[in-house]
Amino acid sequence: MWAVAMFDVPTITVSSRAEYRTLRASMLQMGMFMLQFSVYARYLPSGVSASLLVTAIEQACPSDGRVTVFLISDHEYSKAFRFIGDGYAENRGPDPRAPDQLTIF
């Protein structure tokens, strides 16, 4: 399963810009990676880890911010359409995919 978080935090004042940076840093510390500006994602192996991540994001949300988290199956995530314009040619690379499962015998 994938968690995709989109957020909108005002950056009008010095303190609101600091809250934006704090939220962004928190998401990176949670193991999320940036898909687009203010859109972050992370692969989650189980529903329990999804619940913990959603709770952590909720706690990191600034009082004047808005965060939306979608939980998407691997199948649905793989069907997403991704377009990259010519201006982003240097950033092209493989699409993020779910990590291989670890098997222990």
Side-chain angles (χ1 to χ4, degrees), residues 88-105:
Y88 288 94
E90 69 277 1
N91 296 327
R92 290 182 193 232
D95 287 336
R97 65 176 192 83
D100 296 327
Q101 293 292 326
L102 177 65
T103 305
I104 300 174
F105 293 95

Side-chain angles (χ1 to χ4, degrees), residues 8 34 41 71 92-93 100:
D8 194 15
M34 186 174 73
L71 299 177
R92 290 182 193 232
D100 296 327

Side-chain angles (χ1 to χ4, degrees), residues 58-100:
E58 179 184 17
Q59 292 172 350
C61 181
S63 59
D64 60 345
R66 175 180 289 185
V67 179
T68 301
V69 180
F70 293 99
L71 299 177
I72 304 169
S73 70
D74 293 340
H75 179 71
E76 288 297 320
Y77 186 82
S78 70
K79 293 186 339 183
F81 296 96
R82 294 173 184 87
F83 305 102
I84 300 174
D86 292 337
Y88 288 94
E90 69 277 1
N91 296 327
R92 290 182 193 232
D95 287 336
R97 65 176 192 83
D100 296 327

